[in-house]
Amino acid sequence: MATPVHLALVDIAERTVVTFPPEIDLGNAPVLLTEACALADERAERSREFVLDLTRTTFLDSQGVRLLLDLRRYLRLYGTAMRVAVPPGGPVRRVLTLSQVRRDVPMHDTVEEALRACEE
């Protein structure tokens, strides 16, 4: 696969940390989903968990919420779990709480906290 244009990633043991851009909306959500699914395909045999780093994301609309839910479903095809790192009290956390994504996807305040939770 070509290097993702819009996502940054780091592999840590059997986990992949995927850093998303500052804004996720109708304009970029389809491309981000395509890139994230390609990363899942590429790492299917070596990554048991994806940690989505939204700590720098300050805007997320309904297409961003849909991206997260679609990616969660896609990762499940491989038996790969998903966690989200998003700071408390910010607008992205509020959107994810109001849209009830928290109900289906574990959320953590930091990437480090999400990685520790992966180890448990």
Side-chain angles (χ1 to χ4, degrees):
M1 180 192 117
T3 303
V5 175
H6 302 93
L7 300 172
L9 67 122
V10 176
D11 289 312
I12 302 171
E14 295 180 331
R15 296 176 299 272
T16 299
V17 178
V18 183
T19 302
F20 280 77
E23 295 186 5
I24 303 172
D25 57 25
L26 178 63
N28 66 358
V31 172
L32 295 173
L33 179 60
T34 299
E35 286 187 10
C37 289
L39 292 172
D41 292 341
E42 184 180 279
R43 287 162 172 70
E45 295 192 19
R46 66 178 187 254
S47 187
R48 63 178 174 82
E49 193 146 24
F50 266 46
V51 174
L52 308 187
D53 180 359
L54 301 181
T55 58
R56 295 186 186 128
T57 303
T58 57
F59 181 81
L60 181 89
D61 70 5
S62 62
Q63 290 302 304
V65 171
R66 181 176 179 177
L67 176 155
L68 296 178
L69 295 174
D70 288 349
L71 180 57
R72 179 177 156 269
R73 278 190 289 276
Y74 193 81
L75 290 170
R76 281 185 164 181
L77 295 173
Y78 291 115
T80 303
M82 184 175 103
R83 295 177 181 276
V84 175
V86 58
V92 173
R93 177 69 75 110
R94 283 193 297 276
V95 167
L96 297 177
T97 299
L98 290 172
S99 61
Q100 298 185 8
V101 171
R102 289 183 58 124
R103 178 183 58 165
D104 299 322
V105 178
M107 295 210 186
H108 305 276
D109 296 347
T110 65
V111 171
E112 294 77 16
E113 183 182 299
L115 290 171
R116 279 193 305 272
C118 292
E119 294 172 357
E120 296 173 354

